[in-house]
Structure formats: C-alpha cells, structure tokens
Amino acid sequence: MIPQRLVIVGGVAGGASAAARARRLCESCEITILERGPHVSFANCGLPYFVGGEIVRQDDLLLQTPASLRARFNLDVRVRSEVTSIDRVNRTVHVRDLAAGTEYDLPYDNLILSTGAAPLLPPIPGIERAGHFTVHTVPDVERIRAWIRDCKACHAVIVGGGFIGLEMAEQLVRHGGLGVQLVQSLPQVMGPLDPEMAAWLHRELEGHGVELFLGNPVAAFEDPRPGESARASVVVLADGRRLPADTVVLSLGVRPRVQLARDAGLEIGSRGGIRVSEHLQTSDPNIWAVGDAIEVRDAITGAWSLLALAGPANRQGRLVADNLFGRPAPFKGCWGTSILRVFDLTAGCTGANEKTLRAAGIPHQALHLHPGSHAGYYPGAEPIALKILFAPDTGRLLGAQAVGRDGVDKRLDVLATALQAGMTVDGLAGLELAYAPPFGSAKDPVNLVGMAAQNVRNGEVLTAQWSEVPQYAPPDAMILDVRRREERDKGFIPGSVSIPLDELRSRLGELPKEREILVSCQTGQRAYFACRLLSQHGFRVRNLSGAWRTWDAATRGGRGH
Ligand code: FAD
C-alpha cells in the first residue's frame, strides 16, 4: 500500500534525499521532515573548510532551507523539532518543538529514521571545558570561528587523527595560521589506511608544521599550571606530557544515534547501529532507517559494520523511498570508498585494508607500486603510492589504497568501480583507460598494478613486504639494491649490497646461490627486472613490494613523538 503519511526524522544527508525522492514518486503523500537542529540539508562535509575560510559564506553550506524544500517539493519541514519517542502501536511520533516549547504527536503510515551519528566524547576528565569543540554542525563551526577570531599566535590541539581531525589540522594551519598539535591514540592517523600508507600523511603533516603525538591517548584535560599558557586547557597525554592549548578540537569518531530506535524496541545490531534488512527496513515493517545510524554489510568481509559517509547515506535515502513506493531495490553493502586532502597530498581507499583482511582470516596478497600520475616525459608528473590487495587464488580485487599529489582521486574511483564490479587483477591489466600525456600513461597506474599482480600470480616473481625486510638480513639471506649510486647516496636499507641494475649481468659472480636474495630499487620496477634476470640464472630471489619508497615511508616516515 502506498503510504499517505510519510514522516522522516533527521533532515540532512539521508533524510533530505529520502524526502525529495519520495515526492518525485508520490505527489499526493504528506511528507514531513522533523529536524532537531536549526538547519536542514546542510553540507556537513564542508564544515572544516568553513572554519578555515576556504568556504567563505555560511550560506554556501546551506544547500536547502525549509522554504526552498516546500517550494520545490511541497515538503513540510520542521526545524528545531526533536522527536522524543515513537509509539509503534498507534503509529505516532512525539515531537518537542524546541523553538515554541510545545509538544505534540504526529501520525505516520511509514517512518524513516535518518538520525545520523553523534561525535564520540569518551569520559576523559575535563573533556567538556570551554574552548573545546566538536565539528559536527553549523553552530559548532560558528563557535570555533568566534573562539579563534581574535586569537594571536593561537595554538590548537586536535584530538583524533581521522578524516575530520586531519581536515581541521590542514585548515587551522593553512588558513587560520594556528600552531597545531595532533594527538592520536593509535600509532597512525587515518585508520582505514594500512600503516605504511598512512606514513605518507605523517610526513606531510609534519612537513607543514603539525606536531604529531601518535599512540599516545589523552588522559585528562586540566587547568594550566603556573608558567603554562592555555586559553582552553592543558591536554595531558598518557605518557605524562602536557600540551597547553588555546583551543581543543575533539574529533574522536562518531557513534550511531540510536536512542530513539532503541527506546522504541527496534533491533539494534552487534556494532551498535540500527539493524536493517537489505531493503533498509527495521525490525518494524513500518519503520525504515538509513545513513550513519544503521549497520551495513561490509561488502568484502560480509561482517556488519558502521560507516559514516555521505555517499552511502544519500544513496540509501533515495533507495528507501524507492522501496517504499513500489520500486524495490536492495542495498548491497559498503566498500568504504573514501578520500581526503591533507595539505598537498590526497589519500584514499576502497574495499578492505590489510588489517581487516588479516583479522577476518581472508587470504590476500598485497602489492605496492609507485607509478607516475601521468607520462614521465610530460612535465609535472608526481608519484602515486598505490597499494592493492587481491585474492591469491582467484585474483579478485579486495581493496586498494592510494596516496599522492596528483591523480589519486581518478585511480581510486577506477579501482572502486573495478572492485564493485567484482573484477580481477587481469581485468585491471586489460582496462582501456583514457590517455594523453597530461592525464596519464599508455599503461595507466591501474593497468600497471594489474600487470604487476599478474606477474605475481603466474609465478614470474615472488614478493616480500616492507615489514618482512629483517628476515632477509645477512648472513642468512641478502638484500640487493639495484639503484644507481646517486640514488643510494640519499638513503638505503641498512645491510643492503649495491649493484646497479645495468651492472648486474657482469657481476653475477658476487651473488650467493645458496641464500635467498631480496631485491630492492626505488619503486619496485627495476627490482622486478633484476628478479627476472637473476631467477633465470638460478638465483632464489624476491622483489621487495614498493621497494625503497614504501620501506622508507613505513619505517622512517614522520612517526611523531
Ligand atoms: P546526518 O547528515 O548527520 O543527519 C542526521 C540529522 O538527524 C541531524 O541533523 C540531527 O540533528 C537529526 N536528528 C537526530 N536525532 C533526531 C531526533 N530525535 N529528532 C529530530 N532530528 C534528529 N562524509 C563523506 O563521505 N565525505 C566527507 O568529506 C565527509 N566530511 C564530513 C565532515 C564533517 C565535519 C562531518 C561531521 C561529516 C562528514 N562526512 C563526510 C560524513 C557525512 O556527513 C555523514 O555520513 C552523513 O551526513 C550522514 O547522513 P545521515 O543522514 O545519516 O546523518
């Protein structure tokens, strides 16, 4: 039956998408959006850039207003209207009008929950002091801007090194002119990346003056002691270090907002999100849920997981309306495709990372490459640190990560598409992609990574990972560096022996046949050539995946205090 009264709780990414799609499918329905905050359909993803001033006008963050949604879609949008409970038997929601101070019940035939996620605020002593901010709503960023407006030589401590923490670090340094320290309880920033890929971000942050404190959780926020100057508080780390802060940005992650659903007796999943069917229906057939508040299936591991991303929330909003209005379509799961800019670097990932695959016991092979963003002979090419993970038996792509200054977004999106299409590394090698010198190479980085994986799968070359290098130390094995001497002069793996590739054929006698040889170069390509040469001469060889560049970033790249 077509619902005549559709009520939506939460009027931003998922809620507003659902409402607009519902109207396009049903002109006669009553559609009401109830939003607790003062704005609907605002660009949460733009908030850090408004703090830094890159987005200049606050109005640019407000994509729609209640009036514009009424005019275009005939939606009844009620802001400052909090839903406090759901009566599933009588099919009503209880609404508190925060502006008028009144309360009322609103009936529904179908209800969509898009209540989002709330910033995580662990019970750290002093966490709620003045000058501490989360970055979640337009009023949040107005408060931050007001606090730092008149700050001279202001110093910020950012707690949490995920997407929002890193975007805020960039904005506060680059546009706010603040000194920034970033504290992270894990030993790396950007949890979705594997550590050797996150290391590039550590370097970039430190290169722009952001001081990193990694693997060092906050123990407390305290008053300054005599001699300490801090307008907000002193951030005390687990190891006792004290970081005086004029402002503190709390970006410790988010937790799905499920209290309303829980109180109504709807099923909550093991990860703490609202459990929904693949048609986005909760355990009550008249109540649906989308966005950050729900659990989704991880498309690679099959496990329930939480994901706070705008793309899935928007698509689920559209899909839930399709499901309600007679166009049933499943939401198949998430790949976690995400991207971030940190100063001049872009970093992103899609699918599973190595940490997840290991924890899930899924067999995988990792491969690192550092191809140029476009043809090397055309000016301005930049290396892209590219990592793929694939199934050793079938060659199916399981995940990809990329970090670089140019061309990262395009490769990531190609790899995300390939992943979602269930492609194998053979498919990557064979993809026909657009090429002219300013844009790519005749063998695009995506082709190259597929070809390199084919070489591994068909046994042409064995690889070893950066973390396995100590196993190849002499005297049991040997590490061979085939770069030119001037490259090696800038740094090398301790204990490695240098024979440049072009001298290798004439110096085979210097190499041991009885020991395994780990071959490295700058990016992995010359080491692969060397491996092919040496294995045909009877040597036991392995190619160091990602070679010097990956090893150097992983072991020596900015690692904080
Ligand atoms: P939201 O968009 O958060 O909307 C939920 C709404 O529900 C809120 O406005 C809330 O007030 C309202 N609500 C909750 N409970 C009630 C109630 N009881 N009654 C009435 N109203 C209620 N994602 C990306 O993919 N890329 C990015 O670059 C990116 N950047 C981000 C930057 C920031 C600073 C933030 C905060 C998020 C960012 N995200 C990004 C995440 C993205 O914004 C979210 O995944 C997306 O908005 C989730 O949509 P949603 O509809 O589930 O929740």
Side-chain angles (χ1 to χ4, degrees):
M1 193 192 75
I2 296 287
Q4 284 309 306
R5 290 169 304 184
L6 176 61
V7 173
I8 300 172
V9 188
V12 190
S17 296
R21 177 70 175 162
R23 173 59 74 223
R24 293 196 291 275
L25 298 178
C26 181
E27 187 56 23
S28 62
C29 306
E30 284 174 26
I31 303 174
T32 309
I33 296 181
L34 299 164
E35 167 55 53
R36 179 168 51 196
H39 305 291
V40 276
S41 196
F42 69 90
N44 359 32
C45 308
L47 295 175
Y49 304 100
F50 180 63
V51 174
E54 223 168 290
I55 294 174
V56 180
R57 295 178 335 127
Q58 196 200 89
D59 280 358
D60 291 336
L61 295 171
L62 307 177
L63 308 176
Q64 297 285 350
T65 63
S68 70
L69 287 170
R70 169 161 303 275
R72 179 152 303 171
F73 297 111
N74 188 25
L75 301 177
D76 178 357
V77 181
R78 306 182 191 181
V79 292
R80 297 190 195 279
S81 297
E82 181 179 26
V83 175
T84 54
S85 63
I86 303 168
D87 178 345
R88 288 168 53 195
V89 176
N90 295 305
R91 289 201 202 148
T92 59
V93 289
H94 191 71
V95 187
R96 188 180 291 151
D97 183 329
L98 301 172
T102 53
E103 304 198 4
Y104 59 94
D105 289 330
L106 185 71
Y108 66 82
D109 296 315
N110 277 270
L111 178 67
I112 299 174
L113 303 178
S114 187
T115 47
L120 208 56
L121 290 177
I124 302 170
I127 195 161
E128 287 180 350
R129 293 168 63 99
H132 290 199
F133 302 98
T134 55
V135 186
H136 210 71
T137 61
V138 175
D140 283 346
V141 293
E142 281 172 339
R143 280 191 287 269
I144 300 177
R145 279 169 62 111
W147 183 269
I148 63 176
R149 189 167 296 137
D150 305 318
C151 217
K152 298 271 177 293
C154 211
H155 190 83
V157 173
I158 295 177
V159 185
F163 289 94
I164 296 174
L166 297 182
E167 287 174 352
M168 285 298 293
E170 179 205 78
Q171 289 297 303
L172 291 180
V173 169
R174 194 169 253 178
H175 302 291
L178 276 74
V180 172
Q181 292 173 313
L182 190 144
V183 178
Q184 164 81 331
S185 55
L186 298 171
Q188 68 165 86
V189 299
M190 263 284 268
L193 294 181
D194 287 319
E196 77 279 17
M197 302 300 284
W200 295 100
L201 296 179
H202 300 166
R203 270 192 185 170
E204 185 73 4
L205 287 158
E206 291 187 336
H208 284 83
V210 177
E211 227 183 323
L212 297 179
F213 296 83
L214 303 175
N216 205 345
V218 174
F221 300 94
E222 292 183 354
D223 282 333
R225 290 176 182 163
E228 288 176 333
S229 161
R231 211 174 137 209
S233 63
V234 175
V235 183
V236 184
L237 304 186
D239 69 0
R241 263 183 283 197
R242 298 173 63 80
L243 312 178
D246 296 314
T247 184
V248 172
V249 175
L250 300 165
S251 48
L252 291 142
V254 293
R255 185 177 28 209
R257 259 199 215 101
V258 296
Q259 198 56 44
L260 197 58
R262 194 192 296 278
D263 291 348
L266 300 178
E267 186 183 351
I268 304 298
S270 52
R271 304 295 312 276
I274 302 172
R275 185 58 66 81
V276 291
S277 70
E278 64 172 7
H279 288 90
L280 303 166
Q281 208 160 18
T282 68
S283 49
D284 179 327
N286 293 98
I287 305 180
W288 310 69
V290 299
D292 291 0
I294 66 169
E295 291 186 355
V296 290
R297 286 277 185 199
D298 180 312
I300 302 293
T301 65
W304 287 108
S305 64
L306 298 171
L307 195 73
L309 287 176
N314 275 275
R315 292 198 309 281
Q316 288 160 7
R318 177 184 165 92
L319 214 55
V320 78
D322 284 351
N323 285 323
L324 264 166
F325 293 100
R327 289 170 158 75
F331 184 78
K332 293 199 175 127
C334 279
W335 286 263
T337 307
S338 46
I339 192 160
L340 158 94
R341 187 190 73 195
V342 180
F343 297 103
D344 301 326
L345 271 192
T346 307
C349 57
T350 183
N353 60 34
E354 205 167 353
K355 294 176 285 196
T356 310
L357 293 173
R358 215 176 283 136
I362 297 175
H364 59 275
Q365 167 83 49
L367 203 71
H368 302 79
L369 238 62
H370 298 271
S373 57
H374 59 249
Y377 64 82
Y378 185 84
E382 294 280 354
I384 299 175
L386 201 54
K387 175 177 186 177
I388 63 160
L389 295 145
F390 60 93
D393 53 349
T394 60
R396 188 168 78 93
L397 189 62
L398 299 171
Q401 299 164 44
V403 186
R405 289 175 201 282
D406 181 42
V408 166
D409 52 346
K410 153 163 124 163
R411 275 47 184 237
L412 205 57
D413 279 343
V414 172
L415 288 163
T417 309
L419 185 69
Q420 291 167 49
M423 282 175 65
T424 65
V425 294
D426 293 336
L428 299 184
L431 274 179
E432 182 182 313
L433 299 169
Y435 162 61
F439 305 104
S441 302
K443 282 185 197 140
D444 189 85
V446 173
N447 298 135
L448 286 175
V449 86
M451 290 169 187
Q454 283 179 319
N455 295 339
V456 173
R457 286 199 70 230
N458 66 23
E460 262 178 49
V461 67
L462 297 172
T463 58
Q465 300 301 319
W466 63 271
S467 54
E468 296 168 329
V469 166
Q471 296 170 26
Y472 295 88
D476 300 329
M478 176 185 182
I479 305 170
L480 174 65
D481 182 350
V482 298
R483 292 176 302 168
R484 295 189 310 274
R485 285 191 186 81
E486 58 272 27
E487 291 173 290
R488 186 175 164 85
D489 286 346
K490 294 182 186 146
F492 56 87
I493 300 173
S496 61
V497 172
S498 165
I499 304 181
L501 178 62
D502 294 343
E503 298 173 21
L504 197 55
R505 273 190 192 82
S506 58
R507 294 176 62 183
L508 293 178
E510 296 173 36
L511 299 173
K513 281 237 161 92
E514 70 289 358
R515 285 191 273 153
E516 199 166 18
I517 303 171
L518 179 65
V519 188
S520 181
C521 60
Q522 193 73 3
T523 66
Q525 192 185 40
R526 278 171 289 169
Y528 164 63
F529 298 156
C531 282
R532 291 301 304 147
L533 189 165
L534 292 173
S535 62
Q536 292 179 69
H537 283 275
F539 292 94
R540 288 190 297 132
V541 288
R542 275 183 189 265
N543 187 353
L544 175 59
S545 183
W548 164 258
R549 268 213 186 125
T550 295
W551 182 88
D552 181 47
T555 60
R556 309 191 320 151
R559 285 187 295 160
H561 296 275

